[in-house]
Amino acid sequence: MKLRTTVSALALTAAMAFGSNAAQAWSLEEAAKPYEGTTIDVVFLLRPGYEAAEEMLKDFTERTGINVNLIKHPYENALGEQVRDFISGGDLDVALVDLVWIGNFAENGWMVPIEEFTSNPDLADPDLDLEDFFPVTLDAFGTWDGTVYGLPFDNYSGLMYYNKCMLEDAGFDGPPETWEALKDEYGPALTKDGKYAYALQSKRNETQSADSFARMLWPFGGSFLDAEFRSNLNSEESQTGLKFRQDLMQYMPQGIVAYDHAETVNALAQGDVAIITEWSGFASSLKDPNTSAVADCIEVAAEPSGPAGRKPALGGFSLAVASQADDDEKAAAWLMIQYLTSKANAEKYLDLGGVSARQSVYEDESVRDKFFFADALVESWQEGVPEFRPRFAEWPEITEIVQEWGTKMMLGEVTTEEGAEEIGTRMEAVLDDAGYYDGEKPLAQ
């Protein structure tokens, strides 16, 4: 409700500012004229969605005269590079914000709320339509403590990819609807002759905490924290999910704790496993015969449901205007962000290899036919959990704790109860030091 209230208020503010005549007259070219020749600096990742955006920015610069200097980093370096730049008052004009960085960026004042731009009729596209974004994406990627800072960009959901040929050979006419069916029915039938039913990427890095550990909490009704920000990991629901993961390992490849995304995707692409749950960004490579030996057999569905419903993995980014930019750079940065995430450019972004968070683009049947993952993606974004991983500033420290003890659980070095106790104790110590329990910080995640 908080999100919809915020969005509606912003939309109303923008509408009042525009007036119908002004809205009809707005154009990107006119809006950009005062900023022609301005250069804005932004960090991009080495991923397909950013390559798509880079191609689109050629048209943006041609139409506006605004130059965009892209500073490219692998994901592992992107947070540190931006933090160092913001602390030193450097050159970045746009914040690239991962879901789990938004609390840190907002609390440090490194981003400008979008209301500064949506309330300015000279800068705000009247067709911005914030309510066209899937609510979970705008909430999770762009909103912190009720304030919208960024627009969703390069967004992912966990999807279930499966080899329909292997399933049909085993007597199944479709993928599992529930996690329990995956373990109890598909697991025994598909794990044989050196092949495995399922692979869960679980390497000891963010993959362990986000793709493996968290994936088994939410569908079973569990969570990292309760309403008072105390550990919820030894609750009955959380323990059910963590024990389920242990039981499911008998149907996974040996050494699954060393599998990152590349190993997991490759295992499906080479026909070694029948089912994986991976990010939507891998859809194109799994259907490409140049990278997948079983491309014709690959299909996709939403992740299975658990007792608490379908709660798929959620990941992705937003683009926000950096507070350290000067006024011209801020305006130019907003125009770029608005352009890349617009309804008008959503299909182009998809065509070039990105994943749009715009609801309207998926209403077009031709788009759904063109992108085989579209229906599953739309379904998965109906029940996503914004705090799939807590989004506060302390997550980078907590994730290392989860990675260590989550891996020990999978290896059988500790029980799920013992591992949960260790994570909970250490997690609460971090939160206590940060000021959550004495009222210094709001219980926002």
Side-chain angles (χ1 to χ4, degrees):
M1 293 299 293
K2 180 182 287 185
L3 170 65
R4 292 199 175 276
T5 300
T6 302
V7 170
S8 298
L10 288 169
L12 178 61
T13 300
M16 292 173 63
F18 289 131
S20 59
N21 292 335
Q24 291 176 345
W26 192 93
S27 73
L28 175 63
E29 290 79 2
E30 287 298 315
K33 276 185 178 179
Y35 315 108
E36 183 176 359
T38 301
T39 297
I40 53 177
D41 296 307
V42 56
V43 165
F44 264 24
L45 303 184
L46 304 173
R47 293 182 176 180
Y50 299 81
E51 294 172 4
E54 184 175 4
E55 185 64 27
M56 292 170 63
L57 286 172
K58 295 175 184 177
D59 173 68
F60 174 78
T61 295
E62 183 177 340
R63 291 173 60 184
T64 65
I66 296 168
N67 302 303
V68 183
N69 179 36
L70 301 178
I71 304 155
K72 300 178 184 179
H73 289 291
Y75 174 83
E76 293 75 15
N77 297 348
L79 175 60
E81 292 296 329
Q82 290 187 99
V83 168
R84 283 187 286 273
D85 191 271
F86 293 143
I87 289 175
S88 64
D91 299 321
L92 290 178
D93 304 301
V94 174
L96 174 66
V97 192
D98 189 359
L99 174 148
V100 290
W101 304 342
I102 192 165
N104 188 14
F105 283 33
E107 290 176 5
N108 280 291
W110 294 335
M111 304 179 294
V112 180
I114 71 167
E115 189 171 10
E116 180 172 323
F117 311 104
T118 58
S119 61
N120 183 342
D122 293 332
L123 293 175
D125 183 348
D127 199 29
L128 172 61
D129 192 4
L130 293 176
E131 293 184 349
D132 184 52
F133 289 107
F134 286 93
V136 71
T137 66
L138 187 61
D139 191 357
F141 307 134
T143 305
W144 179 251
D145 202 19
T147 298
V148 182
Y149 291 94
L151 299 184
F153 170 76
D154 188 38
N155 311 123
Y156 317 125
S157 177
L159 300 178
M160 178 169 53
Y161 299 96
Y162 61 96
N163 184 325
K164 67 177 180 181
C165 302
M166 291 178 71
L167 267 61
E168 288 172 358
D169 289 345
F172 298 107
D173 58 6
E177 289 287 334
T178 66
W179 283 106
E180 288 86 349
L182 172 58
K183 177 174 70 72
D184 297 336
E185 301 170 27
Y186 289 72
L190 292 163
T191 304
K192 58 185 177 181
D193 302 326
K195 309 291 185 181
Y196 294 89
Y198 179 64
L200 177 63
Q201 57 277 18
S202 299
K203 188 172 182 178
R204 185 176 164 176
N205 54 25
E206 190 73 7
T207 303
Q208 165 65 220
S209 53
D211 292 83
S212 185
F213 190 95
R215 183 175 257 113
M216 295 301 167
L217 288 181
W218 296 99
F220 292 87
S223 62
F224 285 97
L225 299 168
D226 63 18
E228 285 73 43
F229 264 41
R230 298 294 178 177
S231 174
N232 192 47
L233 295 178
N234 258 322
S235 68
E236 180 181 353
E237 294 82 2
S238 293
Q239 280 297 307
T240 298
L242 294 172
K243 290 180 186 298
F244 178 87
R245 182 174 68 156
Q246 297 299 112
D247 292 341
L248 189 58
M249 284 179 65
Q250 64 188 300
Y251 304 118
M252 302 184 204
Q254 297 297 311
I256 193 67
V257 292
Y259 274 49
D260 211 332
H261 301 285
E263 291 80 10
T264 303
V265 171
N266 188 60
L268 180 64
Q270 299 307 313
D272 296 325
V273 302
I275 301 168
I276 65 173
T277 43
E278 260 290 5
W279 297 112
S280 47
F282 291 106
S284 58
S285 65
L286 284 166
K287 290 292 282 186
D288 184 349
N290 294 312
T291 53
S292 176
V294 293
D296 290 341
C297 292
I298 297 298
E299 296 291 345
V300 65
E303 286 195 18
S305 295
R310 198 186 308 279
K311 307 293 180 186
L314 186 66
F317 299 79
S318 65
L319 293 172
V321 176
S323 58
Q324 67 183 9
D326 67 29
D327 288 344
D328 283 359
E329 291 165 343
K330 286 177 181 174
W334 170 254
L335 291 174
M336 184 206 76
I337 293 168
Q338 194 171 226
Y339 172 87
L340 287 178
T341 63
S342 68
K343 286 196 292 186
N345 286 325
E347 185 172 353
K348 182 177 182 181
Y349 186 51
L350 281 162
D351 283 334
L352 291 169
V355 177
S356 174
R358 289 286 188 173
Q359 298 184 75
S360 56
V361 72
Y362 301 106
E363 294 169 0
D364 187 332
E365 187 174 349
S366 67
V367 169
R368 297 198 305 275
D369 290 341
K370 191 188 315 183
F371 300 100
F372 84 108
F373 61 86
D375 286 340
L377 182 69
V378 170
E379 183 177 357
S380 72
W381 275 342
Q382 305 307 312
E383 295 188 68
V385 182
E387 61 275 15
F388 183 81
R389 288 170 286 167
R391 300 176 299 150
F392 41 46
E394 293 71 29
W395 174 251
E397 186 173 354
I398 290 171
T399 186
E400 293 188 3
I401 300 169
V402 176
Q403 291 161 27
E404 177 183 0
W405 291 91
T407 300
K408 288 183 176 182
M409 286 183 203
M410 292 187 76
L411 292 172
E413 295 176 2
V414 296
T415 66
T416 59
E417 292 90 351
E418 291 167 342
E421 186 67 28
E422 282 290 342
I423 295 172
T425 298
R426 296 172 186 229
M427 179 168 60
E428 289 184 7
V430 171
L431 297 176
D432 189 19
D433 288 344
Y436 287 97
Y437 300 140
D438 59 13
E440 289 183 18
K441 300 185 78 170
L443 302 185
Q445 59 169 318

